[in-house]
Amino acid sequence: MSRPLLYLDVDGPLNPYAAKPERRPEGYTTIRAAVRPGRPLRVWLHPGHGAALLGLPYELCWATTWMGEANRWIAPVVGLPELPYVDFGDRLLALRNDQVHWKTEILVAHAAGRPFAWVDDEQSSADEAYVARHHPAPALLHHVNPRVGLREDDFTVLERFAAGLPE
Ligand SMILES: [Mg+2]
């Protein structure tokens, strides 16, 4: 039996970008990622997050605007191996007129009927409704506060969801 998928956003869950800008949260380290020409992005990352994520009974997959760049800039700092990522193509950041997040439809298609958890700071009730309508298997849309990032209780919720899935 295969594991459920865990779709992982970077900005919000791993990088608590909305924390007080002048104060890095405790336990975090700062990187400056020169992803595009111009000013590098300042990113806060927690070196313990990788081990905690790898300890969960999921198959991890990036679901982030960083796409493949997450393997270069984020994975080594948080302690994750290279992971597959969802390629959002030309729908990256594309706004919809139905309030559904631009990632949602693509994640549902990518999951192809497998149970999944989606860890992000931007889902809404429109996404819950979309997933309930279009995804036949259990799904957990787990919201993380971008002021604080992933914490122990988030990992507990993810563990419980996986444990509750039918064999
Ligand atoms: Mg985000």
Side-chain angles (χ1 to χ4, degrees), residues 51-62:
L53 286 161
L54 291 170
L56 294 171
Y58 286 86
E59 206 175 292
L60 303 177
C61 182
W62 297 116

Side-chain angles (χ1 to χ4, degrees), residues 9-13 17 103 120-122:
D9 182 29
V10 169
D11 295 306
Y17 64 86
K103 290 181 186 174
D120 205 290
D121 59 316
E122 290 185 354

Side-chain angles (χ1 to χ4, degrees), residues 11 30-45 65-66 68-70 72-74 77:
D11 295 306
T30 304
I31 66 155
R32 292 182 198 279
V35 183
R36 282 173 287 276
R39 203 166 155 200
L41 295 168
R42 185 202 63 191
V43 183
W44 286 322
L45 294 170
T65 53
W66 291 75
E69 292 291 310
R72 178 176 174 201
W73 296 100
I74 310 299
V77 184

Side-chain angles (χ1 to χ4, degrees), residues 5-7 59-63 84-88 91 103-116 135:
L5 289 152
L6 196 164
Y7 291 119
E59 206 175 292
L60 303 177
C61 182
W62 297 116
Y85 66 92
V86 178
D87 188 346
F88 293 106
R91 288 197 276 175
K103 290 181 186 174
T104 311
E105 183 181 352
I106 300 168
L107 295 185
V108 165
H110 187 279
R114 286 176 65 185
F116 71 85
H135 186 65

